[in-house]
Amino acid sequence: MSAPPPWLRPVPGTDNSTVPPSHWGMTISQLHGFIACCQTTSTWAGLLDSSHESSTRPTTINGSRASTISVYQLVQHFVVPWTAGTRTGVALQLNGAEPLAASLMISHAWGESCDEAALALGVYCEQNSVWEGTSCWFCALALYQPGDGPTIAEQVAMDPFGTVISSIKLSGGLGMMVIHTSTAELYERLWCNSGSVHAAVLGGHASVVVTQLSVVSTGSVS
């Protein structure tokens, strides 16, 4: 198992039980950086080997190739072991000194390819002139995942999704970005139905990014 990077560490007195869910944000650049860090490890290489695939796949976005390593695997092999015992998710470990209120909520499926999700986010930023320093809410990295407390159930009881979406609406943020990839069906995830309902609370302010083979499309949902 690969060791956590030295820049990932909790701030004393700040964790997912003391900071409101609306401030479990991270910048888009930090999200990309975390995934890129994981991709450089021997653990990531081992996952590629075990899935009998090379570092590239036929699936492409704007000419870039993507592996099929999923968010489930990202959480199991990186997020959980790197944050266990800290009570603090990745986003808060990166921003514990000044927790970030999210301006953009990213709705996605955990079965998706991490590479595709990251590439799709990059396409969204480019096509919508969104700064990479924009704060976003990505549940796999926002919640504390190991389960040793605060547990997932305890964090869900804080209504993170509703709280974040309401906060974004009140602050005039960017709204919700919905990622569809070639490796997972977003709406098979139960909470996404709730997310669709919450999109109405945002006044329909949502963007859809679809990745399927070499095709990327974006649009507004009303």
Side-chain angles (χ1 to χ4, degrees):
M1 183 179 300
S2 300
W7 41 261
L8 188 67
R9 61 183 63 186
V11 173
T14 301
D15 62 50
N16 281 57
S17 67
T18 62
V19 176
S22 59
H23 285 66
W24 299 349
M26 64 194 307
T27 67
I28 293 171
S29 177
Q30 287 174 333
L31 173 53
H32 278 143
F34 182 82
I35 293 175
C37 175
C38 296
Q39 291 170 334
T40 65
T41 65
S42 58
T43 300
W44 189 278
L47 290 172
L48 289 174
D49 290 341
S50 65
S51 63
H52 305 290
E53 65 176 341
S54 66
S55 59
T56 58
R57 294 282 295 176
T59 301
T60 63
I61 306 173
N62 286 3
S64 298
R65 298 185 180 275
S67 78
T68 57
I69 293 175
S70 70
V71 175
Y72 283 115
Q73 292 171 297
L74 182 78
V75 170
Q76 177 184 355
H77 295 281
F78 299 96
V79 176
V80 169
W82 286 0
T83 62
T86 68
R87 301 178 58 85
T88 311
V90 170
L92 270 181
Q93 293 210 21
L94 293 174
N95 301 289
E98 294 185 25
L100 295 180
S103 177
L104 173 70
M105 184 170 191
I106 301 174
S107 181
H108 64 105
W110 279 35
E112 72 197 358
S113 157
C114 290
D115 286 358
E116 281 194 45
L119 288 166
L121 180 55
V123 169
Y124 166 83
C125 291
E126 180 179 354
Q127 294 186 348
N128 294 278
S129 299
V130 174
W131 178 46
E132 285 243 331
T134 298
S135 58
C136 66
W137 206 92
F138 190 82
C139 64
L141 304 183
L143 273 71
Y144 178 61
Q145 300 293 346
D148 55 1
T151 65
I152 296 297
E154 289 169 340
Q155 292 171 88
V156 169
M158 299 168 73
D159 188 23
F161 307 112
T163 299
V164 172
I165 291 172
S166 296
S167 174
I168 290 173
K169 179 184 178 183
L170 289 172
S171 66
L174 294 174
M176 178 185 290
M177 171 194 177
V178 183
I179 296 178
H180 292 267
T181 71
S182 66
T183 54
E185 172 49 56
L186 174 70
Y187 295 113
E188 288 179 354
R189 294 182 64 236
L190 188 60
W191 93 264
C192 289
N193 294 325
S194 172
S196 298
V197 171
H198 282 309
V201 177
L202 285 168
H205 190 184
S207 295
V208 178
V209 179
V210 181
T211 69
Q212 184 68 39
L213 298 179
S214 298
V215 180
V216 176
S217 64
T218 61
S220 297
V221 176
S222 59

